[in-house]
Amino acid sequence: MDSVLLSRMLFGTSMAFHIIFATLGVGVTLMIFFAELMHWIRKDRDYGVMAKRWTKGFAILLGVAIPSGTIVGVMLSLLWPGFMEIVGKVIAVPFQIEIFAFFLEAVFMSIYVYAADRLSSVMRIISVAVVAFGASSSAVLINIAHSWMNTPAGFQLTDGRVTDVDPWAAVLNASMPVTSKHVLATAYMTGAFVLVSIAAYRLLRKASSDAERTYHKKGLMLALAVALLASIYTAANGHDTAKMLHNEMPLKLAAAEGLFETQASAPLAIMGIPDPEQEAVVGGIEIPGMLSWLATGSTDGVVQGLNDFPQDEWPPLFVHTLFNLMVGIGFSLIGIAGFALLWSIFFRKRGFPAWLLILLIATGPLSMLGIEFGWIFSCVARQPWTIYGIQLTSNAATQSGNIGILFILFITLYIVLLVLTSLVLKYFFSRNPLQRELTVSNGEAF
């Protein structure tokens, strides 16, 4: 394999690993905030215990998120020197501000954890709100750099030299507002669904006491409500994303939908495989005019097709499958969460049946898969460009050797870290059983 492909594989794997912990860092902190808020409003000790236990789980995940994020930052410099040469001159601002966002998150997390027994409920809510704000800000600031890669702005490249730099124009690039909202909504959704999975799994176990089952039912309902709202907003944001792609990256939209010919009343192709020879999506289901409506707001709108662009600039057409998997998972999660909430309303006394709890257990892994598919789609569908329309990936990558060895070493490292993190979480919570905390804790102190 050449160094470009190996660099993409190594960096992509590192991002896929880090995104698990980064996403949960944003989503779970919001859920801790809601648990503290419910504790204050209802004066219910269970929500205080909930915030306490979720925080301890988050702290373990944070221990992996920080070094894995550092690895990603180092790899940017080592694997993509051509890219970093432009980044350092144009889009360094969000990286610099992100340091302060992380500092804010770390300081108030320390206050929230170590001074919890000396803080009132209101002060704990304020502290964890700042933590959640810092985590969300970090996500937005990092996403700004990613969105700039898709819709670059704020500079000119003249004879290979960066000129006319406007850092704030780069920050406020065309795709930044839409993608930032999407990143936050999906992170909130995923953090909530992971907690839904945990609560549903605990409810499925017959050995739990009545107090534990009551606790897990409260956690499940709180997480379900947040997950459903975030999922619905994510779906609504998809309409804005389609419009942005239509205006700014029509080739990426065409590849996502397997649309070959420019046409009015363009259909939305669900599943199937794009075939360049037949210039059609084979085996897919088409909804007439739907793609035009998503992209332009009108079923008669004209959408550009792949054939309007040079074939050597086409991204791999399997991005159509990635896009469909991402969207399919999103709508499945809305359906499961919505059905579960309706069940709880109409069959409150019956509780959740085992088959529904099994479906709810699946929502956490599914939401994380949706995140992974979404990020892979966003990056792969930009190929062959690192900075869309300006810098080819082949010109951004390092030419150094031995990347294959590094790839194997880091894959091994990530597998070990995943196993160790799972074991640490299991060991910690088995040594600190819920029943004991429900018995002795007043929900005020960590």
Side-chain angles (χ1 to χ4, degrees):
M1 296 183 186
D2 61 32
S3 60
V4 177
L5 181 57
L6 284 170
S7 294
R8 289 179 61 196
M9 290 169 60
L10 176 54
F11 187 75
T13 303
S14 300
M15 276 297 299
F17 178 78
H18 174 64
I19 205 67
I20 296 171
F21 302 93
T23 298
L24 293 178
V26 176
V28 173
T29 52
L30 182 73
M31 292 305 305
I32 297 169
F33 167 76
F34 282 125
E36 282 286 3
L37 193 62
M38 292 294 289
H39 178 217
W40 177 63
I41 293 171
R42 295 194 173 184
K43 310 302 181 201
D44 188 330
R45 186 182 62 180
D46 284 354
Y47 289 106
V49 174
M50 201 177 295
K52 175 181 174 181
R53 291 177 68 83
W54 287 352
T55 299
K56 289 180 177 179
F58 165 71
I60 294 171
L61 296 175
L62 193 63
V64 183
I66 294 172
S68 65
T70 303
I71 289 172
V72 168
V74 172
M75 283 188 177
L76 273 174
S77 299
L78 296 180
L79 298 178
W80 308 104
F83 169 69
M84 292 303 293
E85 184 178 353
I86 297 177
V87 165
K89 297 175 182 178
V90 181
I91 196 71
V93 170
F95 289 107
Q96 294 166 348
I97 300 176
E98 197 270 338
I99 296 173
F100 292 97
F102 177 74
F103 176 77
L104 193 70
E105 178 185 0
V107 168
F108 278 86
M109 176 56 75
S110 299
I111 294 172
Y112 177 66
V113 172
Y114 295 108
D117 57 344
R118 293 183 289 276
L119 295 176
S120 66
S121 293
V122 173
M123 288 307 298
R124 282 208 312 277
I125 290 171
I126 293 173
S127 297
V128 76
V130 176
V131 173
F133 173 77
S136 296
S137 297
S138 292
V140 170
L141 289 162
I142 294 301
N143 174 72
I144 286 173
H146 174 73
S147 65
W148 173 81
M149 294 166 69
N150 287 321
T151 52
F155 76 108
Q156 296 292 327
L157 199 61
T158 307
D159 297 327
R161 294 175 57 250
V162 175
T163 61
D164 301 325
V165 175
D166 183 346
W168 289 110
V171 167
L172 301 173
N173 64 82
S175 63
M176 186 275 287
V178 173
T179 56
S180 293
K181 288 184 286 186
H182 191 75
V183 163
L184 287 180
T186 53
Y188 297 152
M189 174 192 76
T190 302
F193 272 124
V194 166
L195 295 176
V196 165
S197 290
I198 294 170
Y201 172 74
R202 293 297 181 182
L203 285 171
L204 194 62
R205 295 180 61 181
K206 301 300 182 183
S208 299
S209 66
D210 289 341
E212 288 178 290
R213 293 184 68 81
T214 299
Y215 166 90
H216 289 305
K217 179 69 179 297
K218 292 174 184 176
L220 177 62
M221 297 309 297
L222 175 60
L224 262 179
V226 175
L228 180 60
L229 289 174
S231 300
I232 292 172
Y233 180 79
T234 298
N237 178 257
H239 185 39
D240 294 332
T241 301
K243 287 183 176 179
M244 182 276 293
L245 290 175
H246 172 71
N247 294 323
E248 304 294 337
M249 303 182 72
L251 176 55
K252 190 172 185 177
L253 180 62
E257 289 301 330
L259 184 71
F260 287 87
E261 292 295 336
T262 298
Q263 56 188 282
S265 301
L268 183 72
I270 301 174
M271 298 312 294
I273 299 173
D275 186 341
E277 293 185 1
Q278 298 186 41
E279 295 192 346
V281 176
V282 178
I285 301 172
E286 293 189 346
I287 304 177
M290 181 58 71
L291 179 57
S292 289
W293 179 79
L294 288 171
T296 69
S298 169
T299 56
D300 297 325
V302 176
V303 180
Q304 282 187 277
L306 289 163
N307 291 335
D308 280 7
F309 305 90
Q311 194 161 351
D312 60 357
E313 294 184 8
W314 290 10
L317 296 185
F318 68 77
V319 297
H320 171 73
T321 301
L322 289 172
F323 182 77
N324 276 267
L325 287 171
M326 176 185 67
V327 174
I329 287 173
F331 279 102
S332 297
L333 292 173
I334 291 174
I336 294 171
F339 182 82
L341 284 172
L342 288 174
W343 182 281
S344 70
I345 292 171
F346 291 106
F347 303 101
R348 184 185 300 269
K349 294 182 180 180
R350 292 175 55 183
F352 292 111
W355 61 268
L356 184 51
L357 288 174
I358 291 171
L359 282 178
L360 290 172
I361 291 171
T363 59
L366 280 175
S367 61
M368 188 57 70
L369 277 175
I371 289 282
E372 296 285 7
F373 289 143
W375 276 101
I376 295 170
F377 163 76
S378 184
C379 294
V380 173
R382 189 179 59 245
Q383 295 303 314
W385 304 99
T386 296
I387 304 174
Y388 189 71
I390 291 176
Q391 184 185 58
L392 291 168
T393 303
S394 57
N395 294 332
T398 181
Q399 298 301 316
S400 299
N402 299 320
I403 298 175
I405 297 174
L406 286 176
F407 177 68
I408 294 171
L409 290 174
F410 274 100
I411 284 287
T412 305
L413 173 64
Y414 297 145
I415 293 172
V416 170
L417 281 175
L418 277 175
V419 172
L420 288 178
T421 303
S422 301
L423 290 175
V424 169
L425 285 166
K426 185 177 186 301
Y427 175 78
F428 176 83
F429 286 108
S430 64
R431 290 293 300 270
N432 297 272
L434 173 61
Q435 185 62 48
R436 186 170 67 191
E437 293 197 47
L438 290 173
T439 302
V440 305
S441 175
N442 61 6
E444 297 292 335
F446 282 81

